[in-house]
Amino acid sequence: MEAAINRYRILAIVVGVMLLMVVFVGMPIRYIGGNATPSAIISPIHGALYIVYLAMAYDLWRRAQWPLKQMVVMVSAGLVPFLAFFIERRIVRQAREVARTAEQPAAGA
């Protein structure tokens, strides 16, 4: 499960940074500066990475056997600027706790 946690963590951070770049670099240059090129480059990259992030979030959600509400929280992390960093920390902490509790009975057997 640690590999799924690490994959999720990396993608959450990358998607969060890309979303910040879209919102605070690409969009201002497009609408204030009149140059659509940065937005046209950054936005599709963020979109593609967000799809990969959704796959990694689903994988971790399935392995941890969390309720659907947890998946909704994970999905929202890539849609709201700065939220990805807060959600990532919480999800990773909870996932590691799930992994620890899953290992304890196996270690005692």
Side-chain angles (χ1 to χ4, degrees):
M1 176 122 114
E2 189 64 31
I5 293 170
N6 289 333
R7 285 190 300 267
Y8 169 80
R9 186 173 195 195
I10 290 167
L11 262 299
I13 292 169
V14 169
V15 167
V17 169
M18 291 301 296
L19 181 58
L20 292 177
M21 288 178 63
V22 167
V23 172
F24 294 112
V25 176
M27 300 309 268
I29 292 173
R30 177 183 203 128
Y31 292 110
I32 296 171
N35 183 358
T37 303
S39 177
I41 294 170
I42 298 169
S43 296
I45 294 171
H46 166 70
L49 289 172
Y50 182 69
I51 292 170
V52 176
Y53 165 77
L54 290 177
M56 296 303 110
Y58 174 77
D59 181 48
L60 181 59
W61 173 76
R62 185 183 51 79
R63 290 173 191 261
Q65 299 176 344
W66 284 325
L68 184 59
K69 179 183 172 187
Q70 192 80 341
M71 184 63 185
V72 171
V73 169
M74 294 165 79
V75 166
S76 68
L79 301 174
V80 179
F82 296 107
L83 187 61
F85 307 109
F86 298 107
I87 297 296
E88 178 268 330
R89 292 188 81 188
R90 192 176 97 195
I91 294 296
V92 167
R93 188 177 338 109
Q94 291 174 353
R96 287 193 171 135
E97 184 62 35
V98 167
R100 260 181 269 159
T101 57
E103 288 176 1
Q104 286 177 353

